[in-house]
């Protein structure tokens, strides 16, 4: 009878030890690395310090550009370039129209000359 009681307690302790061993193996298998993964494969990501620093530097640069009027100057420069390109395009279109008119006049002269022959 006494041995039976001790046997039950021993089996209980063995089950608890098995649970602890499983937990230790799970932590070894799934723990550590860049993210901590649980048994159900959920990964809790940890931010990379270099990415965080780069992001803050980008924000500082953006703020500096806004303070110094960089964006306004860039917009003015781009608008000037666009207007220059538009005037160039309109000049080229005018030249094409003149050439088309000359070509039509020349064709008309050639057809008139053919009629006279």
């Amino acid at each position: 009878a006494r041995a039976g009681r001790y046997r039950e307690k021993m089996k209980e302790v063995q089950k608890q030890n098995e649970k602890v061993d499983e937990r230790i193996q799970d932590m070894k298998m799934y723990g550590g690395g860049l993210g901590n993964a649980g048994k159900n494969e959920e990964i809790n990501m940890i931010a990379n310090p270099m990415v965080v620093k780069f992001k803050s530097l980008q924000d500082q640069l953006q703020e500096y550009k806004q303070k110094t009027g960089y964006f306004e100057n860039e917009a003015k420069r781009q608008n000037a370039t666009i207007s220059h390109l538009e005037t160039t395009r309109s000049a080229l279109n005018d030249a094409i129209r003149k050439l088309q008119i000359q070509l039509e006049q020349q064709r008309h002269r050639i057809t008139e000359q053919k009629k006279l022959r």
Side-chain angles (χ1 to χ4, degrees), residues 49-117:
M50 293 292 283
V51 173
V52 173
K53 186 173 184 178
F54 180 72
K55 181 72 175 143
S56 72
L57 288 175
Q58 273 186 328
D59 293 341
Q60 288 176 4
L61 180 64
Q62 193 84 354
E63 186 178 323
Y64 173 76
K65 285 181 175 180
Q66 285 178 347
K67 283 182 182 176
T68 58
Y70 170 81
F71 293 115
E72 290 82 11
N73 293 336
E74 190 68 17
K76 286 178 187 175
R77 188 182 65 77
Q78 288 177 355
N79 286 335
T81 304
I82 289 170
S83 63
H84 173 70
L85 290 172
E86 286 174 346
T87 55
T88 305
R89 181 177 61 188
S90 64
L92 288 173
N93 283 336
D94 291 341
I96 289 172
R97 273 192 228 106
K98 287 179 185 176
L99 288 173
Q100 285 175 338
I101 291 170
Q102 288 176 356
L103 183 63
E104 283 299 317
Q105 289 173 349
Q106 190 175 6
R107 283 182 183 163
H108 185 67
R109 272 191 238 123
I110 291 172
T111 54
E112 291 296 319
Q113 286 177 356
K114 285 184 180 178
K115 287 180 184 178
L116 292 176
R117 289 186 193 169

